[in-house]
Amino acid sequence: MYTLPKLERFNQDVLSKYHIYNSVFITLPFHSIDNTGALLPLFTDICDTGFKKQETPKEIFDFFAKRYLHDPSETEKIDIMFRFIQYIERQIVLFDAIEDAAFPVVNNMEGRGSLRDIKEKSDAKDKEEELIAFLEDFNVRTVLTAHPTQFYPGAVLGIITDLTEAIRKNNLLAIKQLLAQLGKTPFIQNEKPNPFDEAVSLIWYLENVFYQTSGEIVQYLQKNIFNGNSIKNPLIKLGFWPGGDRDGNPFVTTEITLKVAERLRTSILKCYYIEIRNLKRKLTFSGVNTLVTELEQKLYRSVFYSTGEIFITLDEFKSQLNKIKQIIIDQHQSLYLDELDALLIKVNLFGFHFASLDIRQNSKIHDAVFKDIVDFYLKTNPSVFPKNYFELTEQEKFTILGNVSGNLDATVFSNEMSRLTIESIQTIKTIQEKNGEFGANRYIISNNESALNVMETFALFRLSNWENPPVDIIPLFESVNDLQNAHAIMEKLYTNPGYAKHLTNRDNKQTIMLGFSDGTKDGGYLMANWSIYKAKEELTTISRKYGVKVIFFDGRGGPPARGGGKTHKFYASLGPNIENNEIQVTVQGQTISSNFGTLDSCRYNLENLLSAGVTNQVFSKGQNELTLDEKNIMDQLAGLGYEKYLSFKNHPKFIPYLEQMSTLKYYAKTNIGSRPSKRSKSEHLDFADLRAIPFVGSWSQLKQNVPGFFGVGTALKHFEDTDQWDKVQDLYDNSLFVKTLLENSMMSLAKSFFPLTAYMRKDPEFGTFWQIIYDEFLETKRLLLKIAGHKELMENYPDGKASIQIRERIVLPLLTIQQYALLRINELNKENTPDESLIKVYEKIVTRSLFGNTNASRNSA
C-alpha cells in the first residue's frame, strides 16, 4: 500500500484532528468559554494582520477590544486576557496530545535510525560480528534533570497521557470528558515544588515509559542480533539529577537525597512486583509456581512495608529468576520464556537502583568547603595537612591530596555548606549499601576550572574514610576558556599517582562532562559548539596517550542554544578522533515529555541514539573526520562569531535590555522548579550569576532566540565578502557535524518572530540595540538559506516546520498579550503615582503567559 509523504501524514493525523477536537472545546459547558472560544480566532486574525502592518502589540489588542468588546473598561480587558491565556494553554495540551497520538504514524518507527534499520544494514554490509562486539561495550545513558522548564503539573501530564490514548482510539466521548477535565484542572502551582516533588514527577517517566521501552529494545537486540543469547552489557542506563544536583539549589538536603534514592529503589521494585504478579498467572506449573510466589511475597514486603527494609538481595532475585528459567526450559517446553526473559533483561538494566542518582556541586563551593576542612585539621590533627598548605604550589598540593586520608565527622562543622557537602559524600556510601553501587556512583564538579578542583574532591572522599571509593569524579567544563584548557587539566590528573590509582580501580575509565548551556551563554553559538568538539578531540588524544578510556557526558538542553535540536545527528557525525563508546546526555524539562513522554517517542529517540553510536563506530568508521583545512575554516567561523557575540554581550544595553524588555525577572515567579533562577542572592543582576535556562528562555519569549544564531551570519558573511564562499559551502556539503550545527541554528531562526517586538526599534533607549539583533537575524537567515540551497527555513523537515508553524500560530495571541502587559507595566511605572495593584495584575499576566509559550515551543528553554 502506498505510504503518504511525511507532511501529508502530519496534515491528516495531526492538523485535521486538531481542528476537529479544538471545535469541541466551544461545546463544553463552562462559564463564558463559548464567548472566549468564539473571540479567540478573531483576535488571532487581528494579531496576524496587525503584525503584518507593523502595528504594536498594544495597538493590536486595543483595536480588538474596541471592535469586539464594546467600549470595555481596563478590568474587562484584563478579564478577557486571562480567559484567552487559560484557553490557549489548553489548546497547546490538546495539540501535544494529538501529536503524541500520531507519532508512530507521522514518524517511520522502522525506518532510518531504528533497530530494524541497524539489523538490515549489518546484514547487507556483512558487519554482524562487528556490530555484536560494539554492542557488548556500548551504552546510552539518558540523564533526567530537574531543570525548571516543565510547566505542566502532574495532574495535567496525566490528562495528556489519557487524552493521547483516547485520540489514538478516536474515542470522542472520552475526549470530551478529558477536555472537560482539562478545563477544570489548574495549570499553575501556588507553591514552588521541592526537589523531592520534582523527583516524584520524573520517576513517573521511569516507571511508565523508560522501564518498558528499554526492556523491549534490549530484548529485540538479543533475539535478532545476538541470536537469543543474553547481553551482559547494560546497553541503556538511566541517570537522575533531582535530589542530587546541589549546584545553586539550597533546597537539596541530605534528607532529600536519601528520600529520592529510596523512592527510586521502591519504584523499580514495584515495577518488578507488578511484572511478577502478571507472570504468576502464567507460570502456574509444577516446580515453578512456588518459586514465583516466594519472589512475589519478598518483593511485596520490600515495596510496601514502611520500615524501608529489603527482604531480597539483587543477587538472590537474579538467581531465583534464572532457576525458574532453567526449569521452564528443561521441564516445560520453554513456555512463557519470552516473558521471563523480558523481566531478566530489566533486572540486568535497572538492578535495585532504577536510575543512578548523580551528585553535583559547584567548584566555588568546594573551594570554601575545602578551606574549612584544612583549617579544621590544622587545629585538631596537624599531621593531615602541613601548616603552609595554602602557600604550596599546585604540584605540592597534588602530592598531599593524592595520599591524604581521614574520617571526617560532618556534624563538627558549624558552617552549613561544609557540613552538607561532607554529608553528600557520605550519603553516596549509604545509598550504595541499599541500592547497589549504581545507586549513586558519580560526583560532578560544575564550573570546573582546574585539576585542583578534581583533586580536592577526590581528597574529600578519602577524608570521609573511603580509601578506594567506587565513585567516578566528573569534572564539568563549561566556559570557552575552561574547554580550551580541559586537556591540560586532565593530563595533570592522569599523571598524578594517587588519581591514576583511583582510575585503575575504576577500569581506567574517566567520564568528563561538557556543558553546552553555559558555553553558549559565555561564547555564543558557534564558539561553544566548536570549542566542545575540539575539546573532545584533545581530551580523546590525551586520554588515549595515558591508556584511559574517556567517556563524554554532554550537558545538552532542549533548544539548539543549549546543545539540543537533532542530537542524534551530532553523535553520528563524530569522527574517529573523538571517543564515542558511550553516549551520555542530559534531558530536561519539556524535552523529557516531548522526546520521551510516550512509549513510541521514547523508543524512537532511544533507538536513534543507539543508531548514532552504531553509525559512527561500525557503519561509518573512520569517516566524518574533518581535514586540517576544514578545521581551520571552523576556527575562523567560530572566531568571527565569537568576536561578534562578545561585542554584543559587552554592549552597555545588554543587561538592561534583558532586565527591562524581556521576561527574565518573571521566571522566578513561576513556581515550576525548586532551584533559584540565579546563583547569587544579590538584587543586582550579574551576567555570571545568571542561569542558562532563564537566559535562553527570555530570548525565546521575545521570539528572538539570540543564543541559537547570533554571530553565525557575521561569520558566514566574512567568507562571502572575501570570495571564499566555496570553502564554507564545501564544508557544509561534506561535514555532517557542520550541517547539523547549522540546521539546528535554522530551527532557532524558524522559532523567531521579530514583528512581535518591532515596536522596540523606536524606543529611545533600546532601539539601536534591537536593530543590532534584527540585522544579525536577517543576515544569518539569508546566508543559512544560501548555504543550504533552500528558499525557506527547515525546508528539508516539512513536518517539523509545519508543527512549529501551527504551534507559533496557537501562541501568537499569547505572545501579543505578554508584550501588551509588559508595555502597560512600563507605562504605569512612568506615571507620577504608579498604580501598584494594577502593575501586579499585569505582572501576573506576564508570568502566566510564560507557561503556554514555553510548552508550545517544546524546546525553547
Side-chain angles (χ1 to χ4, degrees):
M1 183 180 168
Y2 172 67
T3 304
L4 292 171
K6 205 169 185 181
L7 182 59
E8 286 186 41
R9 298 200 301 272
F10 176 86
N11 288 337
Q12 184 174 293
D13 286 85
V14 179
L15 187 57
S16 298
K17 284 188 178 181
Y18 172 70
H19 289 315
I20 292 166
Y21 294 134
N22 189 36
S23 64
V24 174
F25 258 135
I26 302 174
T27 68
L28 297 175
F30 297 136
H31 169 65
S32 73
I33 197 168
D34 54 341
N35 188 33
T36 309
L39 286 172
L40 184 56
L42 298 170
F43 181 47
T44 303
D45 286 340
I46 286 171
C47 290
D48 200 28
T49 307
F51 285 122
K52 284 174 183 169
K53 291 180 181 175
Q54 300 185 339
E55 292 173 354
T56 71
K58 192 167 184 307
E59 288 169 341
I60 289 168
F61 186 80
D62 284 343
F63 175 78
F64 163 79
K66 186 178 178 183
R67 173 173 283 193
Y68 294 107
L69 301 183
H70 311 296
D71 196 24
S73 65
E74 185 146 24
T75 303
E76 288 171 321
K77 285 184 182 179
I78 287 167
D79 178 59
I80 192 69
M81 283 188 221
F82 275 117
R83 278 172 25 212
F84 279 163
I85 289 169
Q86 290 170 326
Y87 197 96
I88 293 165
E89 283 174 338
R90 286 152 180 80
Q91 282 184 311
I92 294 160
V93 168
L94 175 62
F95 191 78
D96 280 350
I98 291 169
E99 262 201 327
D100 286 344
F103 192 93
V105 178
V106 175
N107 297 280
N108 185 355
M109 300 295 286
E110 307 297 335
R112 185 184 298 175
S114 68
L115 295 185
R116 181 174 172 179
D117 181 47
I118 291 172
K119 168 82 172 103
E120 288 174 354
K121 276 183 183 168
S122 76
D123 290 346
K125 297 186 177 187
D126 197 22
K127 296 260 187 180
E128 293 93 335
E129 286 185 18
E130 202 174 331
L131 177 60
I132 287 170
F134 172 75
L135 290 173
E136 281 175 339
D137 192 40
F138 180 72
N139 299 117
V140 166
R141 183 190 293 253
T142 50
V143 181
L144 308 189
T145 77
H147 292 346
T149 56
Q150 176 52 271
F151 284 76
Y152 291 138
V156 175
L157 285 171
I159 294 170
I160 293 175
T161 303
D162 295 341
L163 189 56
T164 300
E165 190 58 32
I167 290 166
R168 194 169 278 162
K169 293 176 179 176
N170 287 318
N171 185 338
L172 187 59
L173 179 61
I175 291 166
K176 285 187 78 168
Q177 285 181 324
L178 287 161
L179 289 177
Q181 182 187 352
L182 191 65
K184 293 178 177 289
T185 302
F187 269 54
I188 56 171
Q189 301 177 115
N190 293 323
E191 294 180 2
K192 287 174 81 73
N194 65 42
F196 183 70
D197 298 329
E198 292 173 329
V200 170
S201 296
L202 290 188
I203 287 170
W204 185 91
Y205 292 98
L206 299 183
E207 291 176 345
N208 293 282
V209 185
F210 282 95
Y211 178 77
Q212 184 177 329
T213 306
S214 303
E216 287 174 353
I217 286 173
V218 175
Q219 189 162 27
Y220 176 92
L221 292 171
Q222 278 191 184
K223 277 183 163 185
N224 296 285
I225 292 174
F226 282 73
N227 303 314
N229 297 316
S230 62
I231 305 173
K232 300 293 184 282
N233 168 43
L235 263 168
I236 298 166
K237 297 177 179 178
L238 302 177
F240 206 74
W241 276 19
D245 183 8
R246 293 164 179 263
D247 181 17
N249 193 339
F251 307 109
V252 178
T253 62
T254 304
E255 182 191 7
I256 289 278
T257 303
L258 289 169
K259 266 181 77 177
V260 170
E262 186 174 345
R263 182 61 175 256
L264 284 165
R265 185 184 70 251
T266 55
S267 291
I268 189 60
L269 291 177
K270 185 172 72 175
C271 290
Y272 296 155
Y273 169 72
I274 292 166
E275 202 154 346
I276 280 287
R277 289 261 303 180
N278 292 332
L279 273 171
K280 187 183 175 186
R281 296 180 64 181
K282 296 175 179 178
L283 303 180
T284 52
F285 16 92
S286 174
V288 170
N289 55 345
T290 53
L291 295 174
V292 174
T293 301
E294 186 184 333
L295 279 181
E296 179 202 14
Q297 289 171 349
K298 286 182 177 179
L299 286 170
Y300 179 87
R301 290 161 73 195
S302 301
V303 172
F304 297 107
Y305 279 27
S306 59
T307 58
E309 190 179 346
I310 306 163
F311 293 89
I312 185 169
T313 67
L314 180 59
D315 286 341
E316 283 177 68
F317 189 33
K318 284 183 177 178
S319 174
Q320 189 94 317
L321 287 174
N322 279 308
K323 188 176 177 182
I324 293 167
K325 179 177 178 178
Q326 202 56 50
I327 295 171
I328 290 171
I329 293 168
D330 293 343
Q331 300 177 27
H332 302 289
Q333 293 77 47
S334 299
L335 198 56
Y336 296 123
L337 184 61
D338 268 3
E339 286 88 337
L340 185 65
D341 269 340
L343 176 56
L344 271 163
I345 284 166
K346 289 163 193 158
V347 174
N348 185 43
L349 288 177
F350 306 125
F352 276 12
H353 63 281
F354 213 161
S356 296
L357 186 60
D358 290 349
I359 308 296
R360 183 172 81 134
Q361 185 53 282
N362 197 293
S363 67
K364 297 284 191 289
I365 298 293
H366 282 176
D367 290 343
V369 170
F370 206 77
K371 184 178 186 312
D372 205 12
I373 289 170
V374 174
D375 287 341
F376 165 77
Y377 273 117
L378 291 178
K379 289 172 190 170
T380 59
N381 187 355
S383 64
V384 179
F385 290 97
K387 284 183 181 178
N388 65 337
Y389 175 79
F390 295 112
E391 282 78 56
L392 297 177
T393 64
E394 187 183 69
Q395 195 56 49
E396 288 169 335
K397 285 179 180 175
F398 279 7
T399 305
I400 293 163
L401 295 170
N403 298 296
V404 77
S405 62
N407 191 4
L408 283 171
D409 178 0
T411 60
V412 303
F413 287 85
S414 56
N415 182 295
E416 187 185 28
M417 191 53 74
S418 298
R419 178 176 59 77
L420 288 172
T421 304
I422 296 163
E423 278 182 3
S424 71
I425 284 166
Q426 294 167 353
T427 300
I428 293 175
K429 193 183 284 190
T430 306
I431 294 169
Q432 288 194 2
E433 285 166 4
K434 287 208 165 189
N435 294 18
E437 183 191 315
F438 297 114
N441 67 341
R442 289 151 54 99
Y443 193 104
I444 299 158
I445 312 159
S446 52
N447 194 37
N448 195 98
E449 296 177 328
S450 68
L452 195 60
N453 291 150
V454 178
M455 288 303 295
E456 286 180 347
T457 305
F458 175 54
L460 283 175
F461 280 89
R462 291 178 57 87
L463 289 167
S464 297
N465 196 27
W466 222 355
E467 190 179 344
N468 296 311
V471 176
D472 297 320
I473 297 162
I474 304 173
L476 165 52
F477 300 107
E478 298 177 84
S479 71
V480 171
N481 193 48
D482 292 341
L483 288 164
Q484 290 170 348
N485 295 330
H487 65 289
I489 288 170
M490 295 314 299
E491 184 166 28
K492 288 178 184 177
L493 294 169
Y494 294 156
T495 53
N496 177 273
Y499 194 78
K501 184 185 174 191
H502 169 67
L503 285 180
T504 303
N505 293 333
R506 302 300 296 156
D507 297 325
N508 269 332
K509 289 182 178 179
Q510 172 67 56
T511 303
I512 298 171
M513 189 172 179
L514 304 156
F516 283 78
S517 306
D518 283 297
T520 307
K521 182 168 91 71
D522 177 51
Y525 184 73
L526 284 174
M527 181 57 87
N529 281 277
W530 182 234
S531 294
I532 287 169
Y533 185 96
K534 288 205 298 183
K536 283 186 176 180
E537 282 201 330
E538 290 167 335
L539 288 164
T540 300
T541 300
I542 205 71
S543 300
R544 287 173 179 171
K545 178 182 174 182
Y546 291 100
V548 175
K549 185 182 279 186
V550 69
I551 298 160
F552 295 116
F553 176 21
D554 288 319
R556 290 178 175 271
R562 299 187 62 231
K566 305 287 181 185
T567 302
H568 60 278
K569 278 195 166 187
F570 267 119
Y571 289 114
S573 73
L574 301 177
N577 299 326
I578 292 178
E579 208 73 76
N580 195 30
N581 279 341
E582 288 194 28
I583 290 176
Q584 298 193 7
V585 57
T586 56
V587 193
Q588 111 278 316
Q590 81 277 27
T591 313
I592 297 172
S593 55
S594 61
N595 287 5
F596 301 96
T598 67
L599 294 170
D600 291 320
S601 62
C602 185
R603 178 193 147 195
Y604 181 85
N605 284 293
L606 280 179
E607 287 189 11
N608 265 279
L609 286 173
L610 275 168
S611 173
V614 172
T615 299
N616 187 43
Q617 296 286 330
V618 179
F619 300 141
S620 303
K621 197 168 184 180
Q623 298 176 25
N624 293 321
E625 185 177 357
L626 291 170
T627 65
L628 194 59
D629 285 344
E630 287 172 334
K631 286 180 180 178
N632 287 335
I633 295 165
M634 272 307 301
D635 278 335
Q636 288 181 66
L637 285 168
L640 291 160
Y642 185 52
E643 282 176 29
K644 179 70 174 176
Y645 180 76
L646 274 190
S647 68
F648 175 65
K649 194 173 76 171
N650 294 329
H651 194 287
K653 295 300 175 189
F654 186 88
I655 294 292
Y657 183 80
L658 282 174
E659 281 187 305
Q660 296 174 46
M661 307 301 278
S662 84
T663 57
L664 181 66
K665 62 188 176 188
Y666 297 94
Y667 267 83
K669 300 175 182 179
T670 54
N671 290 335
I672 54 155
S674 67
R675 199 165 70 162
S677 58
K678 59 192 183 82
R679 288 183 171 91
S680 75
K681 294 178 182 177
S682 69
E683 288 297 312
H684 174 70
L685 179 63
D686 184 345
F687 184 78
D689 288 332
L690 183 59
R691 291 201 170 279
I693 287 170
F695 175 72
V696 173
S698 296
W699 289 113
S700 172
Q701 295 283 327
L702 285 167
K703 304 311 288 181
Q704 293 177 356
N705 289 328
V706 159
F709 74 81
F710 201 89
V712 175
T714 295
L716 291 172
K717 190 172 188 303
H718 168 79
F719 282 81
E720 185 184 55
D721 290 346
T722 54
D723 295 326
Q724 299 179 80
W725 183 257
D726 58 317
K727 291 182 179 179
V728 288
Q729 188 66 62
D730 289 346
L731 183 61
Y732 176 86
D733 293 339
N734 298 324
S735 167
L736 182 60
F737 168 77
V738 175
K739 180 172 276 194
T740 306
L741 185 69
L742 296 184
E743 280 185 352
N744 280 346
S745 190
M746 284 189 221
M747 189 194 296
S748 291
L749 295 176
K751 291 185 177 184
S752 297
F753 183 65
F754 277 84
L756 179 73
T757 56
Y759 70 89
M760 293 182 189
R761 62 158 40 115
K762 295 176 183 174
D763 188 276
E765 185 178 356
F766 296 109
T768 306
F769 187 77
W770 183 91
Q771 195 65 45
I772 290 170
I773 301 168
Y774 186 52
D775 289 344
E776 185 65 16
F777 166 82
L778 291 175
E779 198 70 311
T780 304
K781 181 180 177 181
R782 178 180 75 81
L783 290 167
L784 285 180
L785 290 175
K786 179 179 178 179
I787 205 166
H790 293 169
K791 290 179 181 175
E792 294 179 335
L793 294 167
M794 294 184 68
E795 199 175 286
N796 52 334
Y797 297 106
D799 58 313
K801 179 185 167 190
S803 176
I804 289 171
Q805 285 175 339
I806 295 160
R807 288 174 177 276
E808 295 299 319
R809 182 165 177 82
I810 292 171
V811 295
L812 185 62
L814 203 55
L815 292 162
T816 309
I817 288 167
Q818 184 184 84
Q819 285 296 318
Y820 180 93
L822 287 168
L823 283 162
R824 282 294 288 132
I825 291 165
N826 285 338
E827 280 179 357
L828 290 164
N829 278 323
K830 286 174 185 172
E831 290 180 0
N832 292 331
T833 52
D835 185 337
E836 294 298 336
S837 60
L838 192 55
I839 289 170
K840 280 193 172 69
V841 172
Y842 280 112
E843 286 181 337
K844 188 176 179 184
I845 288 174
V846 174
T847 305
R848 282 298 310 279
S849 61
L850 288 171
F851 292 56
N853 288 334
T854 300
N855 286 331
S857 296
R858 282 210 153 177
N859 67 355
S860 64

